[in-house]
Amino acid sequence: MPQLPPPRRISRRSLHRAFAATAFATATAVLASGCFAGPATGPAAGTAKDGSARDGRVRVAMMQPPRSGLSPLSDDAFKLSRWSTAETLIRLDANGDAVPSLATAWHRSGRTWTLTLRDGVTFHDGTPLTAEAAARSLTAAAQASPKPRILDGVTLTAHATGPRTLTVTTADTDPLLPQRLSSPQLSILAAKAYRDGRVNPVGAGTGPFVLVRADGTASATLDRYDGYWGDRAKAAGIDVRYVPDGTARAAALRSGEADIVEAVPVSQASLLDPERIAEVAMPRTNTLYLNTSRGPFKDPALRAAARTAVDARALVAGVYEGRADLATGLLGPALPWAAKLREPIRKTAGATVPPGTTLTLGTFTDRAELPEVAQLLQQQLQKAGFTVRLDIREYAMIEADALAGKFDAFVLSRATVLDSGDPAAYLYSDFAADGSFNIAQLADPAVDRALDKAAAIAPGEARRRALIDAEAAVLASDAAVPLLHERVIQGEAPGVVGAARDPRERELVTAATHVR
């Protein structure tokens, strides 16, 4: 594999030092123009000299603004979950096992699961949680177009059979249904949320915080819900601002404008007080997807040539400054069983790249490291003989083209167990012929068979082995070249207590989170 010289990392650090003051000044100017200038923040609201909140509220700077109006049927659901405003019937413990949430018990009979709902729960509009309400939310998700990712390949119906008894029936036997029901995309909302084919979560959840205002792609405001069925929230509320620029997010932490900062870029981590950042190993893989249906990578031998050309070690050292784990598969160290079960894979030998072979490599700017990853991959692929054109945009402006197969290659940072605590949904979504996120346009019968086999097995050792077999089938196709497994760097201001450090990215501010 071609090696990129170590001096690149040195030049990055030198660049950071040289422009740290300028970047800080620019970001501070952005923040001063109103990043956290809402009614519950700033000097008028009783902000201490060191920037810590004295009004009992938690100020959060998040990386990506909503893409679908905070609809729980989209990836925006994870914002609702991280703010503890929308809840699901079931949640996952640290091991990925299903445990009670809005449902207290469940059992299976064939294709049907029967769930008992928690008594005494009310939605934020004061209406009670009933089995009918839960069935309404699940039906909306099941009938959505497109479906939430967690329901890829799954057909389900939900019915109330009593005030607090709910049945969920799947078209095929689904041993993973409890884990699916833990996905934030299957949050249970009040009837008021569902109007005219849209889902509006404002004032419609069941969590310890009520979403009282959603200001588009600028901000969101949540207040404590005193009617919560569980422990009363320690914070009075949450003030959220969307800050896509990583330098500005880091500056918000440094200046005291934010209490919790989501996804501090690696390039900014070394400029912050180490006591203000926490690294969390994530089930998130940075992957190079290769288009198998058209262009140069329709040829398996050229896909193999691209895979051989990639030097992921240079990416880990140069772009991530060692704050990432080198990938040996799609499933990383957040799933420790994967490495123990993985075996060597026989892959296609790389071909000589014909002169004039041109490709378009895409990625997005919302994750600060990805444009530089794309630039280094461009260099590596060009050294192997490809001519590479980069197309880098904001994610909202590039997703549709990526899913339509308009790129020859695409760099994506992808959560592998985000939805169910089990990687089956991710593998199916990204690599099944009818997967909803199949950027590689892969239609490989061997991969589909392996995925179907894994999906039919109950959670446990046999399922884990089948999932590794499915991973092996994907890697043998060279439709995806895993590069590295990310660690999220979360910023927390002095005085922050109880911020969740969740590898699944489902929790951030919980009922226990507050600022001293």
Side-chain angles (χ1 to χ4, degrees), residues 289-294 402 405 430-431 437-443 479-480:
Y289 290 75
L290 303 179
N291 191 328
T292 63
S293 69
R294 56 171 287 276
D430 285 31
F431 303 110
F437 214 79
N438 189 357
I439 289 177
Q441 308 293 302
L442 184 63

Side-chain angles (χ1 to χ4, degrees), residues 199-214:
V199 187
N200 181 358
V202 174
T206 59
F209 295 99
V210 54
L211 179 62
V212 296
R213 188 169 66 249

Side-chain angles (χ1 to χ4, degrees), residues 250-283:
L253 181 67
R254 187 184 296 109
S255 66
E257 289 285 335
D259 301 309
I260 300 174
V261 172
E262 189 181 51
V264 174
V266 169
S267 61
Q268 294 293 310
S270 61
L271 305 177
L272 294 170
D273 182 344
E275 294 186 359
R276 294 194 181 193
I277 61 174
E279 288 190 49
V280 182
M282 301 293 290

Side-chain angles (χ1 to χ4, degrees), residues 5-345:
R8 177 153 190 103
R9 181 178 182 184
I10 295 173
S11 64
R12 277 176 57 86
R13 289 184 171 176
S14 176
L15 184 65
H16 296 161
R17 294 191 191 101
F19 290 96
T22 302
F24 175 73
T26 301
T28 301
V30 172
L31 293 166
S33 69
C35 179
F36 282 92
T41 59
T47 302
K49 185 176 181 180
D50 65 358
S52 61
R54 295 197 316 207
D55 55 9
R57 302 181 67 84
V58 178
R59 299 161 303 166
V60 180
M62 301 198 77
M63 179 176 66
Q64 290 184 334
R67 296 197 293 267
S68 302
L70 289 177
S71 169
L73 305 182
S74 71
D75 279 350
D76 290 351
F78 293 88
K79 290 179 173 57
L80 304 177
S81 177
R82 285 167 78 73
W83 303 335
S84 295
T85 188
E87 297 180 309
T88 52
L89 294 170
I90 292 169
R91 64 182 182 86
L92 300 180
D93 65 12
N95 295 321
D97 295 326
V99 296
S101 182
L102 296 180
T104 57
W106 51 89
H107 66 271
R108 171 183 159 190
S109 177
R111 296 181 293 108
T112 297
W113 293 79
T114 301
L115 298 93
T116 301
L117 301 191
R118 188 178 297 277
D119 195 14
V121 178
T122 59
F123 291 105
H124 293 150
D125 65 355
T127 59
L129 170 68
T130 63
E132 182 180 355
R136 180 188 301 111
S137 292
L138 295 181
T139 299
Q143 295 179 352
S145 181
K147 285 183 178 181
R149 186 175 58 243
I150 190 63
L151 294 182
D152 272 345
V154 177
T155 299
L156 65 78
T157 56
H159 298 284
T161 57
R164 293 193 300 116
T165 305
L166 173 73
T167 62
V168 180
T169 302
T170 54
D172 300 307
T173 301
D174 185 8
L176 201 65
L177 186 71
Q179 280 81 358
R180 292 189 197 280
L181 294 178
S182 76
S183 169
Q185 293 183 326
L186 300 184
S187 295
I188 307 302
L189 300 180
K192 65 172 284 187
Y194 304 93
R195 294 285 187 273
D196 303 322
R198 299 175 63 85
V199 187
N200 181 358
V202 174
T206 59
F209 295 99
V210 54
L211 179 62
V212 296
R213 188 169 66 249
D215 294 326
T217 59
S219 64
T221 304
L222 301 95
D223 291 340
R224 179 168 51 219
Y225 179 53
D226 289 328
Y228 182 54
W229 60 266
D231 293 336
R232 183 175 185 266
K234 292 187 176 181
I238 310 170
D239 297 309
V240 178
R241 295 294 183 270
Y242 308 115
V243 188
D245 182 78
T247 300
R249 287 199 306 281
L253 181 67
R254 187 184 296 109
S255 66
E257 289 285 335
D259 301 309
I260 300 174
V261 172
E262 189 181 51
V264 174
V266 169
S267 61
Q268 294 293 310
S270 61
L271 305 177
L272 294 170
D273 182 344
E275 294 186 359
R276 294 194 181 193
I277 61 174
E279 288 190 49
V280 182
M282 301 293 290
R284 178 175 286 278
T285 304
N286 190 313
T287 302
L288 175 65
Y289 290 75
L290 303 179
N291 191 328
T292 63
S293 69
R294 56 171 287 276
F297 294 133
K298 187 175 182 179
D299 182 350
L302 287 182
R303 296 200 298 271
R307 182 242 308 153
T308 303
V310 169
D311 178 11
R313 287 181 176 81
L315 303 177
V316 171
V319 179
Y320 288 83
E321 300 186 2
R323 297 179 187 265
D325 299 293
L326 186 68
T328 57
L330 295 166
L331 308 179
L335 297 171
W337 51 265
K340 298 175 183 177
L341 297 176
R342 189 175 289 126
E343 296 180 355
I345 302 169

